[in-house]
Amino acid sequence: NAGVTQTPKFRVLKTGQSMTLLCAQDMNHEYMYWYRQDPGMGLRLIHYSVGEGTTAKGEVPDGYNVSRLKKQNFLLGLESAAPSQTSVYFCASSLLAANTDTQYFGPGTRLTVL
Amino acid sequence: SQQGEEDPQALSIQEGENATMNCSYKTSINNLQWYRQNSGRGLVHLILIRSNEREKHSGRLRVTLDTSKKSSSLLITASRAADTASYFCATDARGSSYKLIFGSGTRLLVRP
């Protein structure tokens, strides 16, 4: 099993450009999450999904959109990138709800917005 | 807002020594989890301790939970250079079982 994979690994954008980050998991997990991690800080939840076709806002959802059309995929979109969105983005998944189960993390996407 | 806060922010020890990291949180929780992050990598789950548990072990790891003080500690015994990483505690978000709130982490350096 590949676990949780993320594409791309690195990306540089100019302000105002758009992009989509792809997260895929092969563990048949119901729950999926997108986090961002800024230097010296812990992870902050952007959006999450409790099942196929559902999405919900986390702590810092502004400027991002998500979709969960297939159970195994969770997409994070930036419609108009801003320098404040420069960060490392992590996707995670879990079989059960976050507070009762292990979250499995992808390797991260390092995004720079110029 | 931060639910869990780790202390110290950074810790440097010699290989073979024990490392203790602490986590404090603000509101009542169902469970508390500890994760490790090696440089440039995603987080890896270490231990989940439930609110009705006081201590849990996994190999060289020992986690304690004191709900009256709203605090937890992670002890790594007989540390190795490979334990060098950042360690994060994560707790339930208030009113939601779907969210975890992560602290800012303790950076552990184990010197060979």
Side-chain angles (χ1 to χ4, degrees):
Chain A
N1 288 350
V4 180
T5 58
Q6 294 182 231
T7 52
K9 289 186 169 54
F10 303 93
R11 186 72 186 268
V12 178
L13 291 178
K14 293 181 180 178
T15 297
Q17 287 185 320
S18 63
M19 77 164 294
T20 300
L21 282 69
L22 172 63
C23 175
Q25 53 93 5
D26 61 1
M27 296 174 282
N28 202 34
H29 285 172
E30 290 292 336
Y31 300 84
M32 296 188 75
Y33 315 86
W34 274 108
Y35 294 92
R36 61 177 288 173
Q37 185 178 34
D38 298 301
M41 295 181 68
L43 276 69
R44 290 184 293 168
L45 183 64
I46 304 171
H47 286 281
Y48 64 99
S49 168
V50 302
E52 182 179 314
T54 73
T55 63
K57 294 180 181 180
E59 292 178 84
V60 288
D62 294 341
Y64 306 95
N65 57 75
V66 288
S67 64
R68 182 102 181 266
L69 299 179
K70 293 183 179 180
K71 187 177 184 179
Q72 63 268 35
N73 296 335
F74 195 28
L75 278 63
L76 177 70
L78 286 74
E79 289 187 348
S80 179
S84 61
Q85 294 178 304
T86 293
S87 189
V88 181
Y89 291 85
F90 290 99
C91 176
S93 71
S94 62
L95 182 62
L96 302 175
N99 68 337
T100 63
D101 196 17
T102 300
Q103 289 194 16
Y104 294 84
F105 283 81
T109 295
R110 188 173 296 274
L111 175 66
T112 301
V113 182
L114 302 175
Chain B
S1 61
Q2 299 281 15
Q3 163 75 315
E5 290 293 339
E6 289 90 344
D7 172 60
Q9 290 187 337
L11 181 60
S12 179
I13 59 173
Q14 203 72 36
E15 202 166 28
E17 293 180 339
N18 295 342
T20 299
M21 288 157 266
N22 302 297
C23 170
S24 60
Y25 56 91
K26 296 173 184 170
T27 61
S28 61
I29 61 171
N30 292 311
N31 305 298
L32 183 144
Q33 302 184 41
W34 284 92
Y35 286 81
R36 183 188 75 229
Q37 183 180 34
N38 291 90
S39 182
R41 302 285 191 94
L43 277 68
V44 174
H45 182 261
L46 296 176
I47 286 184
L48 182 153
I49 186 165
R50 304 190 188 285
S51 57
N52 61 354
E53 297 175 312
R54 292 296 165 258
E55 189 170 308
K56 207 161 182 179
H57 295 255
S58 176
R60 293 184 296 111
L61 306 180
R62 174 178 160 243
V63 168
T64 61
L65 179 64
D66 187 336
T67 53
S68 66
K69 295 182 179 177
K70 293 187 170 60
S71 67
S72 173
S73 67
L74 170 66
L75 168 67
I76 304 174
T77 59
S79 64
R80 305 166 182 169
D83 294 328
T84 293
S86 291
Y87 293 82
F88 296 90
C89 68
T91 54
D92 317 50
R94 191 173 203 172
S96 173
S97 60
Y98 306 125
K99 304 178 191 177
L100 285 181
I101 303 295
F102 287 82
S104 53
T106 292
R107 295 188 309 280
L108 173 65
L109 172 64
V110 182
R111 304 187 304 276

